[in-house]
């Protein structure tokens, strides 16, 4: 299957600290890959490199079969959704406008903005009346769902998720997972999900990429990696995740 995201020998350092080291990895089109590793393994930096938020010191990033441009990335980012831990909503904007802001920037008319906002809120099981509230008036789980709605507003071909479902209780997380799966089934996209939660990776992803010290330790389908861990690091990460 074609890889829509490719990183070739990518390196990123901060001073003497190597965060990504000669890293090569690809992500398959229209599938979800969970990127898993211990804290400090480079997962979030990898997402930021893919999105052009951080420039690598060496190597090549290719999206949609082309090198990531070094200049204006605005046009590219129309095709890439991004959601982070804590939702990062604008506190001074009502929920509906938080969701539709990207469409406003794109010049969509009001009817189209409202229709798309309603569609996404329905898919994520958010009542329309919540659209008139401010983020602080929502629960943590509702804020996370709003963040996903915003990231999916323009139907991106790539969706980058950095721990977007943390900080809620297990029941709420299962509900968000269910709604998220409904959304990407309705609107297929290539998902790269950074998570420390192995069980979340099993629930949401087809593929699994294990990181350690800025490198990919093992990659394959979830079934393949679970059945044949490459080494004790991978085996213990999977074992500890299942036990938690």
């Amino acid at each position: 299957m074609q890889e829509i995201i490719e990183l070739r020998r990518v390196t990123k350092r901060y001073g003497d600290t190597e965060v990504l080291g000669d890293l090569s990895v690809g992500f398959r089109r229209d599938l979800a890959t969970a990127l898993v590793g211990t804290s400090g393994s480079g997962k979030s930096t990898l997402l930021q490199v893919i999105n052009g938020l951080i420039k690598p010191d060496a190597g090549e990033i290719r999206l949609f079969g082309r090198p990531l441009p070094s200049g204006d990335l605005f046009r590219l980012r129309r095709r890439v959704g991004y959601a982070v831990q804590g939702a990062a909503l604008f506190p001074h904007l009502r929920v509906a406008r938080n969701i539709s802001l990207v469409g406003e920037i794109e010049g969509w008319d009001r009817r189209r903005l409202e229709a798309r906002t309603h569609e996404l809120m329905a898919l994520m099981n958010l009542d329309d009346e919540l659209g008139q509230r401010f983020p602080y008036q929502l629960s943590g789980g509702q804020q996370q769902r709003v963040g996903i709605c915003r990231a999916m507003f323009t139907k991106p071909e790539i969706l980058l998720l950095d721990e977007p479902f943390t900080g809620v209780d297990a029941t709420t997380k299962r509900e968000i997972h269910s709604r998220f799966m409904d959304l990407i089934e309705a609107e297929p996209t290539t998902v790269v999900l950074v998570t420390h939660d192995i069980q979340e990776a099993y629930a949401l992803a087809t593929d699994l990429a294990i990181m350690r010290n800025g490198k990919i330790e093992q990659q394959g389908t979830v079934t393949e990696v679970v059945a044949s861990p490459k080494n004790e690091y991978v085996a213990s990460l999977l074992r500890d995740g299942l036990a938690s």
Side-chain angles (χ1 to χ4, degrees):
M1 184 176 291
Q2 182 183 2
E3 292 179 337
I4 192 171
I5 305 169
E6 298 176 84
L7 284 80
R8 300 176 179 177
R9 307 198 67 176
V10 170
T11 298
K12 180 61 185 179
R13 294 184 179 87
Y14 292 108
D16 295 332
T17 303
E18 185 178 76
V19 184
L20 301 177
D22 199 31
L23 182 150
S24 295
V25 66
F27 300 96
R28 298 194 289 167
R29 183 185 293 274
D30 289 342
L31 293 178
T33 300
L35 195 59
V36 178
T38 56
S39 180
S41 58
K43 305 183 300 296
S44 294
T45 300
L46 177 54
L47 280 200
Q48 292 169 346
V49 164
I50 293 170
N51 205 27
L53 297 173
I54 293 175
K55 186 175 180 179
D57 299 314
E60 182 183 29
I61 301 103
R62 297 178 66 86
L63 302 184
F64 313 109
R66 296 183 178 182
L68 187 72
S70 57
D72 181 15
L73 293 170
F74 180 75
R75 198 174 291 271
L76 174 74
R77 289 195 183 128
R78 297 174 184 174
R79 304 171 70 185
V80 180
Y82 189 45
V84 299
Q85 182 176 351
L89 303 176
F90 295 107
H92 62 291
L93 298 181
R94 296 183 189 274
V95 165
R97 190 144 185 246
N98 261 288
I99 293 172
S100 65
L101 193 58
V102 177
E104 282 188 45
I105 294 170
E106 290 287 295
W108 291 20
D109 63 49
R110 185 169 62 85
R111 182 174 296 180
R112 187 180 179 194
L113 291 170
E114 290 176 352
R116 180 60 174 159
T117 301
H118 170 77
E119 179 181 36
L120 285 166
M121 290 182 70
L123 282 167
M124 292 302 290
N125 196 28
L126 292 166
D127 292 338
D128 278 342
E129 64 90 9
L130 297 177
Q132 297 310 306
R133 297 186 187 182
F134 290 97
Y136 77 89
Q137 296 174 309
L138 303 184
S139 69
Q142 288 170 334
Q143 289 183 31
Q144 290 174 332
R145 282 181 275 174
V146 170
I148 297 295
C149 290
R150 182 174 64 183
M152 286 292 289
F153 196 80
T154 57
K155 297 187 178 181
E157 296 164 72
I158 293 171
L159 180 62
L160 306 177
L161 303 175
D162 192 353
E163 300 276 12
F165 308 121
T166 57
V168 296
D169 62 80
T171 300
T172 301
K173 182 178 283 194
R174 284 194 295 271
E175 166 68 11
I176 296 172
H177 285 173
S178 177
R179 291 297 171 174
F180 177 71
M181 294 299 288
D182 290 343
L183 176 58
I184 60 172
E185 182 177 349
E187 301 182 2
T189 186
T190 302
V191 177
V192 183
L193 168 68
V194 165
T195 180
H196 67 279
D197 184 341
I198 295 293
Q199 295 186 22
E200 180 170 84
Y202 291 170
L204 300 182
T206 301
D207 290 356
L208 194 59
I210 307 292
M211 285 193 74
R212 176 167 64 163
N213 297 331
K215 295 179 173 62
I216 298 296
E217 196 74 13
Q218 186 172 354
Q219 184 177 18
T221 67
V222 170
T223 302
E224 290 167 349
V225 176
V226 170
S228 300
K230 179 181 178 181
N231 53 38
E232 180 53 29
Y233 172 79
V234 176
S236 65
L237 197 69
L238 300 176
R239 188 167 56 245
D240 293 346
L242 281 175
S244 62

